[in-house]
Amino acid sequence: MTALTNLTMASALDGLAKKEFTAVELAEAHVRAVESARPFNIFITETPDAALSMAKASDERRAKGEAGPMDGLPIAVKDLFCTKGIATTAGSKILDGFMPEYESTVTSQLWRDGAVLLGKVNLDEFAMGSATITAHQGETVSPWSPGQPGQWDRKIVAGGSSGGSAAAVAARVALGATGTDTGGSIRQPAGYTGTVGIKPTYGRCSRWGIVAYASSLDQAGPMTRTVEDAAIMLRSMCGFDPKDSTSVDLPVPDFRAALTGDIRGLRIGIPKEYRVEGLSAEIDALWTQGIEWLKDAGAVPVEISLPHTKYALAAYYIIAPAEASSNLARYDGVRYGLRVEGGSLAEMYENTRGAGFGKEVQRRILVGTYVLSAGYYDAYYNKARQVRTRIKWDFDEAFKSCDVILTPTAPSTPFAIGEKMDDPVQMYLNDVFTVPINLAGLPGLSVPAGQGADGLPLGLQLIGRPFDEETLLRVGQVVEKAANVTALPPFMA
Amino acid sequence: MSLDKATVAKIAHLARIKVPDGELESLAGELSQILTFVEQLNEVDTTDVPPMTSVAAQKLRRRVDAVTDGGYTPQVLSNGPETAEGFYVVPKVVE
């Protein structure tokens, strides 16, 4: 029998239904996996007791014939989702000691459907980053790093900001994990760790109870080892929530039923502007291979144009910091988290925020404050929002001649911790292929598709029409099957 | 766009973030780099293009203006660094 930690969600559900093992056995195996993966610094808070009691309750439900669609499946939760009575830090010192009194809508739906919590996982502070290296609790190391745990030559990044989620899934510590994606924070770490990650359409998943970064861009989504598992988990995470004013009141499809494998006649858009400078030859080759796989399955590639692609990062690095500077104004040392005393109220605010926020978060708040300040609002913020409109129009136009778009997920294989760190702009370029999708509010999926010459994973990204996650997942599974990636990370718990 | 130390100090004050004097210079350099990077947006013709306010093709929903829940003072205050008698406590504001 396959190790319990190496199962997919689909096969674990089968095994539970056939009584081959219990949810408690599954949870125990995963709790041991969490412990064995500690050198990778994946978890900020481990919750073994919660895992075992939730698993016990799951077995009881199943015995009564009341098992939910994810009943008994152990998952990790990005430490950006508020979990009632379990510390939630957003990777920041400023949320030191914060214990939510409420549960985020997305996690409450996962528990409603029977999922089991293993713990809260690492991220870039306030989800601002592409490598999971900026959290107050330290950096996460990818299970793809060559060598023995703790004795790595190069510590490979897991991507970010949902790097703890990606590492947990790749290292066989969790069957799946929640992520959030503001500019690529689900898809890029999925690509970097050989896992599957989907950012649904803006409005699909409730943002209520998720620590806000940039509200017009943030979306939650699942990270898993297969496209089928992503379909299972996405269904539980989605759904209308009156508590989020941007939540969309649409029925949630059975995404798994959409995985028919039949993509005959579908038009696959290939945006010529994504052949950017600095795109590595191996990624270009993989992209071409991806087009061939889809052609072999009966789809029709069509060249499309997204002329404003090159401006997406610049627009993002105005809009996201602007929204962040406003969202993060709430951390003031009064209502929760860290307080550093000062002689006056203003001094207390400044001391608290100076000590509580890390460097990258401070940089983004300052950029946001600047672009929203009197005299610069039109030149920066409004200009960026106008460019955002043009980027959205580009996609509207492109989807007149195609049904789904295929691109690489990231411009290179993952780098090592310590590389690319000096220049913030250089770091931002990791997100060049993922950011436009957030600006346009579209669904995006990253599927593992191969390895680079360095043996590290490479992903392909699919972009869909608004609320057409079904087509996205269907095409994604065709890519997954054609790529048939068999390489495994050097470390598996 | 290049920011000087004084401007960075002013922004930091607006953002209520204490930045030590010794870090203003390097921060000015980093912020200038970012602002230079985003200046490429000026190449885009945005004449008559509306600034995006909502990416979803729907209007914000309105809710009934009514009290539907409440009475959670202890929970609301439970994370406060300093509280007393149902209030948050902050340094003295009015002399």
Side-chain angles (χ1 to χ4, degrees), chain A residues 187 197-199 201 266-271 274 287 294 304 306 309 395-396 398-399 402-409 432-438 440-447 460-469 471-473 475-476:
Chain A
R187 291 157 289 155
I198 180 167
K199 178 198 93 71
T201 313
L266 269 187
R267 297 163 304 169
I268 313 292
I270 311 298
Y274 275 58
W287 191 13
L294 295 176
I304 57 163
L306 299 167
T309 298
F395 279 105
D396 291 347
F399 278 120
C402 69
D403 301 298
V404 65
I405 297 170
L406 180 75
T407 77
T409 302
V432 63
F433 297 141
T434 48
V435 152
I437 289 76
N438 299 75
L442 302 170
L445 168 72
S446 178
V447 183
L460 287 173
Q461 174 179 242
L462 290 154
I463 307 161
R465 291 198 176 98
F467 303 105
D468 192 10
E469 287 85 1
T471 302
L472 204 57
L473 289 160
V475 178

Side-chain angles (χ1 to χ4, degrees), chain A residues 148-230:
Chain A
Q148 290 297 312
Q151 295 165 11
W152 303 286
D153 296 333
R154 286 174 85 221
K155 289 191 273 185
I156 304 298
V157 301
S161 66
S162 309
S165 307
V169 173
R172 273 64 181 170
V173 167
L175 294 183
T178 65
T180 63
D181 190 317
T182 304
S185 282
I186 287 175
R187 291 157 289 155
Q188 184 257 27
Y192 276 6
T193 55
T195 56
V196 175
I198 180 167
K199 178 198 93 71
T201 313
Y202 186 81
R204 265 282 190 214
C205 286
S206 169
R207 292 181 295 106
W208 194 84
I210 301 174
V211 175
Y213 162 18
S215 307
S216 80
L217 301 160
D218 296 342
Q219 260 296 289
M223 305 180 72
T224 56
R225 288 196 287 269
T226 66
V227 172
E228 184 179 27
D229 287 2

Side-chain angles (χ1 to χ4, degrees), chain A residues 50-72:
Chain A
L52 295 176
S53 68
M54 290 168 96
K56 189 163 170 278
S58 170
D59 283 330
E60 286 163 11
R61 279 192 301 273
R62 195 172 290 279
K64 284 190 277 183
E66 294 168 2
M70 285 185 67
D71 229 306

Side-chain angles (χ1 to χ4, degrees), chain A residues 166-403:
Chain A
V169 173
R172 273 64 181 170
V173 167
L175 294 183
T178 65
T180 63
D181 190 317
T182 304
S185 282
I186 287 175
R187 291 157 289 155
Q188 184 257 27
Y192 276 6
T193 55
T195 56
V196 175
I198 180 167
K199 178 198 93 71
T201 313
Y202 186 81
R204 265 282 190 214
C205 286
S206 169
R207 292 181 295 106
W208 194 84
I210 301 174
V211 175
Y213 162 18
S215 307
S216 80
L217 301 160
D218 296 342
Q219 260 296 289
M223 305 180 72
T224 56
R225 288 196 287 269
T226 66
V227 172
E228 184 179 27
D229 287 2
I232 292 170
M233 192 167 167
L234 181 62
R235 187 183 180 191
S236 293
M237 292 173 72
C238 287
F240 174 61
D241 178 11
K243 288 188 288 200
D244 172 0
S245 61
T246 59
S247 170
V248 173
D249 193 359
L250 279 178
V252 178
D254 180 356
F255 296 113
R256 205 174 170 185
L259 305 177
T260 59
D262 184 0
I263 61 162
R264 284 172 299 174
L266 269 187
R267 297 163 304 169
I268 313 292
I270 311 298
K272 59 181 183 199
E273 290 83 359
Y274 275 58
R275 292 196 190 278
V276 293
E277 217 178 301
L279 181 65
S280 79
E282 59 190 16
I283 290 182
D284 203 359
L286 183 75
W287 191 13
T288 305
Q289 176 67 67
I291 299 169
E292 290 304 315
W293 287 330
L294 295 176
K295 254 166 79 178
D296 291 346
V300 185
V302 288
E303 188 181 271
I304 57 163
S305 176
L306 299 167
H308 295 89
T309 298
K310 70 175 281 210
Y311 301 108
L313 268 182
Y316 177 85
Y317 277 100
I318 292 173
I319 292 167
E323 295 186 20
S325 72
S326 168
N327 273 327
L328 273 61
R330 74 190 70 184
Y331 304 104
D332 57 5
V334 174
R335 287 161 296 169
Y336 26 65
L338 182 77
R339 169 185 290 196
V340 180
E341 299 298 345
S344 64
L345 181 62
E347 219 177 278
M348 188 275 279
Y349 290 156
E350 293 189 350
N351 290 344
T352 299
R353 293 162 62 80
F357 291 133
K359 290 279 167 258
E360 179 64 20
V361 173
Q362 292 194 2
R363 261 201 299 264
R364 294 198 195 188
I365 292 175
L366 294 175
V367 168
T369 305
Y370 183 72
V371 301
L372 292 178
S373 63
Y376 298 101
Y377 186 93
D378 281 334
Y380 287 104
Y381 184 59
N382 259 347
K383 182 75 183 181
R385 292 195 302 149
Q386 287 176 309
V387 173
R388 186 176 181 186
T389 300
R390 297 215 64 166
I391 288 167
K392 173 77 166 70
W393 287 353
D394 282 355
F395 279 105
D396 291 347
E397 191 59 34
F399 278 120
K400 287 177 186 165
S401 60
C402 69
D403 301 298

